[in-house]
Amino acid sequence: MSCPCGNSVEFEQCCDVYISGENMPDTAEKLMRSRYSAFVKKEHDYIIETHDPETRSDVSMEEIKE
């Protein structure tokens, strides 16, 4: 199955390597694609962890889950 981010690569070889913590995204595009995939896969902690630390307190887990 291709990755939810829109790449034709399978999720496990694409965004999951970032969401799982195996690697860190090295471009803004990869970060945003991985955050979208995390949303689709309901990996809410990753979304919080990768949010800008200066505004992280403005984001709630409940809002992300909705």
Side-chain angles (χ1 to χ4, degrees):
M1 179 180 194
S2 62
C3 190
C5 78
N7 283 336
S8 58
V9 180
E10 290 187 25
F11 173 70
E12 292 76 16
Q13 283 74 47
C14 192
C15 290
D16 191 42
V17 298
Y18 308 124
I19 296 169
S20 70
E22 184 179 329
N23 288 320
M24 292 295 296
D26 58 358
T27 67
E29 179 182 355
K30 288 177 184 178
L31 174 62
M32 296 312 293
R33 285 179 175 275
S34 67
R35 286 173 52 88
Y36 176 77
S37 292
F39 180 78
V40 170
K41 296 287 190 174
K42 301 187 184 324
E43 296 286 346
H44 306 115
D45 290 335
Y46 180 78
I47 297 169
I48 296 287
E49 291 167 7
T50 57
H51 197 81
D52 179 6
E54 291 184 19
T55 60
R56 191 175 292 158
S57 63
D58 297 337
V59 178
S60 77
M61 185 67 77
E62 292 76 29
E63 290 175 337
I64 292 171
K65 289 179 179 179
E66 286 179 17

